[in-house]
Amino acid sequence: MADWDAIILGAGAAGMMCAAVAGQRGKRVLLVDHADQVGKKILISGGGRCNFTNVDTAADRYLSANPHFAKSALGRYSAQDFIALVDSYGIAWHEKTLGQLFCDGSAKQIVAMLEEECAKGGVRLALGQPVADVSHGDGLYQVTTGGVEHRAPALVLATGGPSIPKMGATGFAYEVARQFGLSIVQPRPALVPFTLGTQEALFQALSGVSADVAVRWNKVRFREAALFTHRGLSGPAMLQISSYWQHRTPIHVDFLPDHGADWLIEAKRERPRASLRKVVAQALTERLADALLDRAEVQGEMGSLSDKVLRQLGARLHDWPFEPTGTEGYAKAEVTVGGIATAGLSSRTMEANKVPGLYAIGEAVDVTGWLGGYNFQWAWASGWAAGQAV
């Protein structure tokens, strides 16, 4: 006899959403997590205010081996659907730049809302209980936790990826997926700061300096703030491009995305007696201008510099190459690129094609969103899809 209709492993954003939806459909749901509280990653997100979705959500803002996979779930449970749920709980929110929505108050409001949604569905929580064993037989999944074996015809993997291990994150979902014959797209840290080598030591003096830049890797480009750190490069622009970046390749930074190609030559005509340092410092900041001009080895009065030299410097400031030595890894990564391969899953239900009753949702799956609420929207949408299907 089955004890439950569905057992969901992982009480994060996707797992709670799935449990609430299934429970409110009348399903008997057990939600298991090794952590002693639900939604731990939600609580730290968005500086404690939870960037809970993005109004510009579309499948082209996600990385996956199958770029079309996310379309179905995102189309059936949209950002507007989640906003309607948030509004129904009277949670005040505001839109920041680039379509990002945050709570006016605290991320705790989103967690409390999901807990209430689970309670409405009669979901049973088993918290602080690591899973000792997962198996399958006679059409049922057996999950042993806290010395008790639970059985259900449906098992949902919602334990995320290995990013932020201090929060208890592991690759557990991948282990279970492999156990049942699903393949894994090689995971790697994403939305993560870069590290720079000793040849870029000059930039360590800029630790704490930020600038509005456009950063490019191959044909992918983001226009947001970049931040210099004592270890390398961070800030939204760098986190965004890190999801695409591949080792031993350069990224290219345009430090002056609002300036034309010949702006230095125009400045020379207007202010021939001004120093190059002063002109560049007014466009950037003094510390950043000093570091870039020291590296470029160009100084002097504008009028004494040839158009060719100024054109070359302008081109470099518009396309400054950095070759990161790596990233700060899973410890500082907000999410994981890769995971359970979408080729083995139904895009409509998140069920494994060849393993009836096994589902994978959220960050555990090879679908990774841009920075700015996209990963939460994938959690809600994939959780909703599986919650409708179990």
Side-chain angles (χ1 to χ4, degrees):
M1 280 287 294
D3 310 305
W4 310 95
D5 294 316
I7 299 170
I8 300 170
L9 305 183
M16 291 176 80
M17 187 71 174
C18 181
V21 171
Q24 289 181 35
R25 289 176 53 236
K27 301 293 183 177
R28 296 167 301 154
V29 179
L30 178 69
L31 181 58
V32 181
D33 202 298
H34 65 148
D36 55 5
Q37 68 180 114
V38 298
K40 288 182 88 170
K41 213 167 166 183
I42 300 174
L43 293 172
I44 65 163
S45 68
R49 288 197 165 174
C50 188
N51 178 191
F52 58 82
T53 191
N54 195 300
V55 294
D56 298 325
T57 297
D60 64 359
R61 288 162 188 223
Y62 293 82
L63 290 80
S64 175
N66 175 0
H68 302 291
F69 181 82
K71 284 180 182 173
S72 175
L74 293 172
R76 288 163 59 230
Y77 191 87
S78 68
Q80 298 306 323
D81 291 318
F82 192 76
I83 293 165
L85 178 63
V86 170
D87 286 345
S88 74
Y89 276 79
I91 298 171
W93 52 269
H94 59 280
E95 182 176 340
K96 276 196 177 177
T97 54
L98 305 169
Q100 304 170 45
L101 304 191
F102 289 79
C103 297
D104 286 0
S106 162
K108 292 176 183 174
Q109 296 171 285
I110 298 295
V111 174
M113 175 189 81
L114 293 168
E115 287 182 298
E116 177 62 25
E117 285 292 294
C118 285
K120 283 180 185 174
V123 174
R124 175 83 66 85
L125 295 175
L127 301 178
Q129 299 196 18
V131 173
D133 186 59
V134 178
S135 59
H136 185 268
D138 297 326
L140 297 175
Y141 292 90
Q142 290 100 26
V143 174
T144 305
T145 181
V148 179
E149 184 181 274
H150 300 277
R151 290 162 302 203
L155 177 67
V156 183
L157 303 179
T159 55
S163 59
I164 323 185
K166 72 179 180 194
M167 301 288 296
T170 67
F172 178 77
Y174 309 155
E175 295 168 25
V176 178
R178 284 193 184 100
Q179 179 186 331
F180 289 102
L182 299 185
S183 34
I184 307 296
V185 174
Q186 181 64 40
R188 57 187 169 83
L191 299 182
V192 61
F194 290 113
T195 54
L196 294 174
T198 50
Q199 77 279 10
E200 305 283 14
L202 168 75
F203 294 103
Q204 287 178 348
L206 293 174
S207 185
V209 171
S210 68
D212 178 36
V213 305
V215 62
R216 176 179 64 81
W217 182 81
N218 286 354
K219 291 181 180 176
V220 182
R221 184 178 182 273
F222 290 99
R223 169 78 185 268
E224 284 199 64
L227 173 71
F228 289 92
T229 71
H230 65 288
R231 297 190 63 190
L233 297 166
S234 188
M238 297 302 159
L239 299 185
Q240 293 280 38
I241 211 75
S242 73
S243 298
Y244 294 84
W245 177 74
Q246 292 175 5
H247 273 284
R248 290 182 286 282
T249 62
I251 57 172
H252 296 264
V253 177
D254 182 350
F255 284 107
L256 296 159
D258 291 327
H259 286 63
D262 288 336
W263 75 279
L264 282 172
I265 295 168
E266 290 161 14
K268 170 180 154 177
R269 305 275 186 270
E270 292 165 16
R271 303 163 62 194
R273 302 297 296 275
S275 71
L276 174 66
R277 178 186 175 277
K278 187 171 184 180
V279 170
V280 177
Q282 285 172 341
L284 296 165
T285 61
E286 286 192 2
R287 286 173 66 191
L288 182 52
D290 283 346
L292 295 174
L293 292 176
D294 282 354
R295 176 55 64 93
E297 298 178 333
V298 186
Q299 296 288 354
E301 270 192 3
M302 296 297 289
S304 69
L305 297 166
S306 71
D307 285 3
K308 181 181 178 185
V309 166
L310 291 175
R311 192 171 281 117
Q312 286 173 337
L313 175 62
R316 188 162 182 193
L317 293 174
H318 277 308
D319 194 29
W320 194 287
F322 288 95
E323 191 151 328
T325 53
T327 70
E328 294 200 24
Y330 286 122
K332 294 288 175 70
E334 294 194 18
V335 291
T336 308
V337 161
I340 297 170
T342 58
L345 303 175
S346 159
S347 64
R348 186 167 175 80
T349 63
M350 305 292 134
E351 186 176 15
N353 298 327
K354 296 181 179 176
V355 192
L358 181 65
Y359 298 76
I361 57 176
E363 195 188 333
V365 179
D366 173 35
V367 174
T368 306
W370 288 1
L371 184 73
Y374 293 100
N375 288 295
F376 273 129
Q377 187 55 40
W378 170 247
W380 315 136
S382 59
W384 184 90
Q388 290 287 343
V390 295

